[in-house]
Amino acid sequence: MKNIFFFDAMLTPKIITVVYWLCLLGILVGGIGSMFYGEFFRGLLGMIVGGVFTRVCFEMVIIAFKNNEYLRKIAEKP
């Protein structure tokens, strides 16, 4: 608990993982809904492109946190 209050551990990467899965679930539901309402290929394309785009966006955010982690390790080296 001390790590969270004094910013020794990052909480956001854990939250981002949950938000990522919720976004993928939303894309899946939207794509399947679109497929059932007569736009099969638009729904399929939306799921594929939406999934890839979401993954890339969330990876960019995670890269910022990983860079912070790596810089902390470099700074702690003797």
Side-chain angles (χ1 to χ4, degrees), residues 1-76:
M1 202 65 150
K2 178 186 170 192
N3 290 339
I4 293 173
F5 287 127
F6 292 102
F7 295 101
D8 292 331
M10 292 291 164
L11 184 63
T12 307
K14 295 171 184 77
I15 294 171
I16 286 178
T17 304
V18 173
V19 173
Y20 168 71
W21 285 107
L22 289 174
C23 285
L24 283 182
L25 181 65
I27 290 169
L28 183 68
V29 168
I32 290 173
S34 187
M35 292 167 120
F36 278 118
Y37 285 107
E39 298 177 353
F40 181 80
F41 290 110
R42 180 181 271 181
L44 184 64
L45 183 65
M47 284 192 297
I48 293 170
V49 171
V52 170
F53 182 75
T54 302
R55 176 70 185 212
V56 168
C57 289
F58 278 91
E59 279 184 2
M60 285 186 206
V61 174
I62 290 295
I63 285 172
F65 286 99
K66 289 290 183 180
N67 284 340
N68 182 31
E69 182 181 321
Y70 296 144
L71 285 173
R72 183 179 300 228
K73 287 179 183 178
I74 290 171
E76 290 175 353

